[in-house]
Amino acid sequence: MGIEKDFSTKLSAGDITIDRRDIEMLEAIDRQGSLHGAAEELGRSYARLQNRVVELEDELGELTERTRGGRDGGGTRLTETAYELRRQFDRHESELDGVATATESVFRGTVVERTGELATVETAVGPVTALVPPDAGEVQVAVRSDAVVLTDPTETPEPDGTSLRNRFSGTVATIDDGEAIASVTLSLANGVTLEALVTRSSRERLGLESGRDVVASFKATAARATGLESPETEK
């Protein structure tokens, strides 16, 4: 999308600057399912919201799309480009605040299928698509906490409409709050845990608390595997 970091909690794209108000606008559209609903929720005029969406889309591409049908005759939903913009903003905010350190979650498993540099690794939590070294069979896959995206199970985009190829259902086990960033530990299947970093606004939006069900997603390129030597190799 050609986005560059600024020196505050903002993103630059061409001649425009994306700030927290823009992200709040997209979040409201996502919640309300329409521009009219978002404008009412935020106390802003519909015309200004519509103009701002057009300005952003001129630089970034399509952020919203109209839907037909339903009780009100249709509405507006976000595109994958809009979701990616929100994720980039949250990551940028995390980096600038610097109040939490990114950690890594590690999954051990066996390579079962390859497509170029990517491979499917069968782990205790299920298959993980990752960058895997050539000829590696038994591996451990590391995923940084700042690469994990949390979403509500009812709002998670369809798998074919997102670049986040790895997706797991989990439950919030613990939350370590910073001033602006929270470190969240998720409990996945078979006792496996996964760490994620979220901003304060994301935590509030998702209503994160212990026991909350969420969906954790991350890109294949964010999952990097290293080979595990067998006992015979080590001798």
Side-chain angles (χ1 to χ4, degrees):
M1 290 191 293
I3 293 176
E4 300 176 354
K5 292 180 182 177
D6 201 349
F7 290 99
S8 58
T9 312
K10 297 177 183 178
L11 295 175
S12 297
D15 294 329
I16 67 171
T17 298
I18 301 129
D19 59 19
R20 170 52 62 187
R21 281 173 59 87
D22 294 319
I23 301 304
E24 290 174 350
M25 176 185 67
L26 293 176
E27 292 172 347
I29 293 171
D30 201 17
R31 285 191 298 270
Q32 298 296 329
S34 73
L35 280 172
H36 282 289
E40 183 176 348
E41 176 186 328
L42 297 172
R44 304 182 200 172
S45 75
Y46 170 81
R48 288 188 177 182
L49 253 65
Q50 186 178 46
N51 288 339
R52 185 55 177 169
V53 169
V54 171
E55 289 176 354
L56 293 174
E57 290 185 330
D58 284 344
E59 291 290 347
L60 303 174
E62 192 175 41
L63 298 176
T64 63
E65 58 184 10
R66 292 283 299 172
T67 59
R68 295 183 178 181
R71 184 182 61 186
D72 300 321
T76 302
R77 65 183 181 186
L78 300 186
T79 65
E80 174 57 24
T81 300
Y83 286 118
E84 179 60 23
L85 176 61
R86 285 168 55 179
R87 290 192 288 267
Q88 287 198 35
F89 192 94
D90 282 351
R91 286 195 296 268
H92 182 36
E93 196 168 55
S94 300
E95 292 167 2
L96 288 174
D97 286 324
V99 297
T101 302
T103 58
E104 286 189 338
S105 300
V106 177
F107 307 94
R108 294 181 64 133
T110 303
V111 176
V112 295
E113 185 179 351
R114 284 184 178 275
T115 306
E117 297 86 355
L118 296 177
T120 300
V121 180
E122 193 61 46
T123 73
V125 75
V128 175
T129 304
L131 291 168
V132 178
D135 303 321
E138 298 297 320
V139 298
Q140 62 179 19
V141 180
V143 182
R144 282 173 56 94
S145 56
D146 56 357
V148 178
V149 177
L150 302 184
T151 52
D152 186 290
T154 64
E155 300 176 351
T156 302
E158 293 299 321
D160 59 356
T162 176
S163 60
L164 303 173
R165 296 178 60 179
N166 296 295
R167 179 176 301 177
F168 302 98
S169 296
T171 303
V172 175
T174 63
I175 301 178
D176 184 10
D177 278 312
E179 183 178 347
I181 306 297
S183 178
V184 182
T185 300
L186 303 178
S187 177
L188 306 182
N190 297 317
V192 176
T193 59
L194 177 66
E195 304 288 331
L197 285 183
V198 299
T199 61
R200 180 174 55 192
S201 60
S202 293
R203 178 181 177 179
E204 293 173 353
R205 180 177 71 244
L206 291 170
L208 294 181
E209 59 183 15
S210 182
R212 170 79 156 93
D213 291 333
V214 294
V215 172
S217 307
F218 52 90
K219 293 182 178 181
T221 52
R224 298 176 178 269
T226 54
L228 295 173
E229 292 185 330
S230 65
E232 291 77 11
T233 304
E234 293 174 352
K235 291 181 180 179

